[in-house]
Amino acid sequence: MRYGDAVKLSTDRIIDAGMATFAEVGYQGLSMRRVAERLDVHAGSLYYHVRNKDALLRLMADRIAQQAYDAGSAALAALPEEAGWRARIEAQVLTLRESIRRHPGGPLLLADSPSMLSPGALSLMERLLETLRDAGVPGEHRVIVADTLLSHVTGFVLQEQSRSPGPAVDRQDVTDLHERFPMTTAEASRHDQDEKFIRSVRLLCSAAQTTIAPGSPRP
């Protein structure tokens, strides 16, 4: 180890190393010692920049959320002026999905980020709430709708990232499953992941639409 390297460290470098370590070993395996080893410095030198593992996780979550927020801002700016609230919701959640998909473990970090009081995650929520308010969704429903949308995105990406090759299934097994569960097996292959995601978001928006009183803005 090189103990004189603390001056070469920065918070950004530590976050980079934390993200790479998290991708390899997950939450339980992440430690300041492992991050220090990746950076080839003494663990104690990290604490000049990041006080502990919880603080590092908060910074990592905030980075992902801020990237998603910036991507959402660009997508919103590209919408035509007459775009309705549904299009604005879709722009935000589509860019959120793409942002967290780029990071192994991204959905786990984002799921915990509100409890970490991550400014980036809170910005995502605040903008969704503003969009829903402008759409006419009543105050008592806004947080539920926004939280449901965010939870849906993180859960959807978590499922995408968790896919692993399963055991081999022979033709007879497939036939038996089709016979026992015809509707489920037929639906499973009908839509690709992108189409399934956008349709699920539109269904959630349709549910939110039912809370909007007549005369409020329409999609």
Side-chain angles (χ1 to χ4, degrees):
M1 294 287 182
R2 297 195 296 273
Y3 300 112
D5 278 1
V7 293
K8 299 180 182 178
L9 287 177
S10 67
T11 301
D12 281 340
R13 282 192 64 204
I14 295 170
I15 295 172
D16 290 340
M19 298 285 285
T21 305
F22 187 90
E24 292 176 358
V25 301
Y27 177 85
Q28 296 299 330
L30 180 69
S31 68
M32 298 297 276
R33 176 184 59 79
R34 277 186 159 147
V35 174
E37 288 174 354
R38 181 175 290 274
L39 290 166
D40 196 20
V41 299
H42 190 280
S45 63
L46 300 184
Y47 298 106
Y48 289 100
H49 304 273
V50 180
R51 65 178 180 273
N52 54 36
K53 174 181 172 178
D54 286 343
L56 177 58
L57 285 165
R58 179 177 180 271
L59 290 168
M60 290 160 55
D62 194 59
R63 173 183 283 185
I64 294 174
Q66 190 60 55
Q67 289 173 350
Y69 185 87
D70 292 343
S73 295
L76 287 168
L79 290 175
E81 188 174 342
E82 67 274 12
W85 68 271
R86 287 180 182 245
R88 296 180 64 80
I89 291 290
E90 288 183 20
Q92 291 171 68
V93 297
L94 284 168
T95 50
L96 174 58
R97 177 187 173 219
E98 289 306 312
S99 295
I100 62 178
R101 283 175 71 183
R102 290 197 292 269
H103 301 280
L108 291 174
L109 285 169
L110 193 71
D112 284 340
S113 55
S115 61
M116 298 176 189
L117 299 180
S118 155
L122 295 175
S123 295
L124 291 170
M125 173 66 87
E126 186 77 7
R127 185 164 62 190
L128 276 173
L129 290 171
E130 290 171 354
T131 303
L132 294 167
R133 177 201 63 199
D134 295 344
V137 175
E140 66 266 28
H141 298 306
R142 283 179 213 144
V143 170
I144 301 299
V145 175
D147 188 61
T148 299
L149 286 164
L150 292 177
S151 297
H152 177 62
V153 178
T154 54
F156 196 96
V157 177
L158 180 62
Q159 191 174 47
E160 289 183 297
Q161 291 187 345
S162 298
R163 290 181 172 179
S164 57
V169 180
D170 62 31
R171 182 173 297 179
Q172 186 58 50
D173 289 334
V174 173
T175 300
D176 291 343
L177 289 172
H178 276 284
E179 290 177 353
R180 293 180 61 193
F181 311 107
M183 294 179 65
T184 302
T185 53
E187 291 296 327
S189 59
R190 181 169 296 181
H191 309 296
D192 65 25
Q193 288 298 100
D194 291 341
E195 183 183 2
K196 186 186 295 184
F197 179 74
I198 193 62
R199 289 184 66 172
S200 63
V201 170
R202 288 171 180 171
L203 284 171
L204 291 174
C205 286
S206 293
Q209 177 72 46
T210 65
T211 71
I212 301 175
S216 296
R218 291 297 181 186

